[in-house]
């Protein structure tokens, strides 16, 4: 029997489509969306808006808040889908300690495509100038348990359907 997934993390660099895939996955599965960017403290937003990459210390409290949001949703009987860059293994491990049944959907993208998408994205605090720092920090989760890697340039419907089918395969339902 496959391990069960209690919650899904949609991860990747800025511009990979985390929010769009999460929204489409939630519509297909009846899951509850948790938009990670909504929980950044103001200091993190100001730093990123100024083109300064976040440090591990900057992310620590934010990741703990996201972990608590996942636990709260599960305790309420919801099936949460979290969007969070979760670029490093230590970040994903921090979330997995809170939710051992955390499935990870990694949206893969080239630096060029990410920069193009972020440059044309209106009203977001993450500037395209930080794309290189995101790729420098990225630790690809290919050998981690309960992880699905998808080409983020595929059509949104295909990405959401692939994530949905994968989650169903790992469901206790």
């Amino acid at each position: 029997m496959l391990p069960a997934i209690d919650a899904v993390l949609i991860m990747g660099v800025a511009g990979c489509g985390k929010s769009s895939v999460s929204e489409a996955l939630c519509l297909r599965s009846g899951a509850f969306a948790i938009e990670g960017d909504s929980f950044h403290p103001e200091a993190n937003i100001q730093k990123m808006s100024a083109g300064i990459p976040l440090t591990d210390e900057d992310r620590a409290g934010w990741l703990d808040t996201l972990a608590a949001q996942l636990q709260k949703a599960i305790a309420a009987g919801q099936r949460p889908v979290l969007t969070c860059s979760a670029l490093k293994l230590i970040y994903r491990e921090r979330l997995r300690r809170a939710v051992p049944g955390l499935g990870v959907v990694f949206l893969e993208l080239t630096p060029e495509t990410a920069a193009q998408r972020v440059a044309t994205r209106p009203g977001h605090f993450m500037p395209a100038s930080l794309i290189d720092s995101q790729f420098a920090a990225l630790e690809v989760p290919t050998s981690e348990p309960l992880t699905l890697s998808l080409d983020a340039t595929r059509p949104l419907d295909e990405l959401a359907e692939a994530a949905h089918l994968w989650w169903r395969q790992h469901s206790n339902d």
Side-chain angles (χ1 to χ4, degrees):
M1 185 170 170
L2 297 171
I5 294 176
D6 301 314
V8 171
L9 164 66
I10 309 283
M11 65 149 297
V13 298
C16 69
K18 294 181 291 288
S19 297
S20 298
V21 171
S22 171
E23 183 180 317
L25 176 57
C26 287
L27 286 172
R28 276 179 170 70
S29 64
F32 175 73
I34 300 172
E35 177 60 54
D37 283 347
S38 299
F39 293 91
H40 269 297
E42 186 59 32
N44 285 6
I45 293 171
Q46 289 177 1
K47 210 172 174 180
M48 287 184 284
S49 296
I52 302 167
L54 297 181
T55 64
D56 292 347
E57 294 77 27
D58 293 329
R59 290 184 176 96
W62 174 61
L63 290 166
D64 289 342
T65 298
L66 297 179
Q69 290 296 315
L70 285 170
Q71 290 174 325
K72 180 179 168 184
I74 291 168
Q78 298 168 321
R79 297 177 47 180
V81 175
L82 169 65
T83 59
C84 172
S85 55
L87 299 173
K88 293 183 179 182
L89 174 60
I90 59 170
Y91 305 159
R92 296 185 294 275
E93 287 177 340
R94 194 174 196 126
L95 295 170
R96 285 183 179 116
R97 278 193 299 276
V99 179
L102 183 66
V104 175
V105 176
F106 171 51
L107 299 177
E108 297 183 81
L109 201 61
T110 66
E112 298 77 22
T113 303
Q116 179 185 30
R117 287 182 177 186
V118 171
T120 59
R121 178 169 70 174
H124 196 278
F125 55 80
M126 177 73 172
S129 62
L130 289 179
I131 294 298
D132 288 342
S133 70
Q134 290 220 317
F135 277 94
L138 178 62
E139 296 171 1
V140 178
T142 51
S143 62
E144 296 174 29
L146 296 176
T147 298
L148 174 66
S149 294
L150 297 172
D151 176 348
T153 63
R154 289 173 52 192
L156 178 59
D157 285 344
E158 286 182 23
L159 293 169
E161 186 62 16
H164 177 66
L165 292 173
W166 171 77
W167 194 359
R168 284 186 56 205
Q169 287 176 333
H170 292 278
S171 176
N172 282 330
D173 299 339

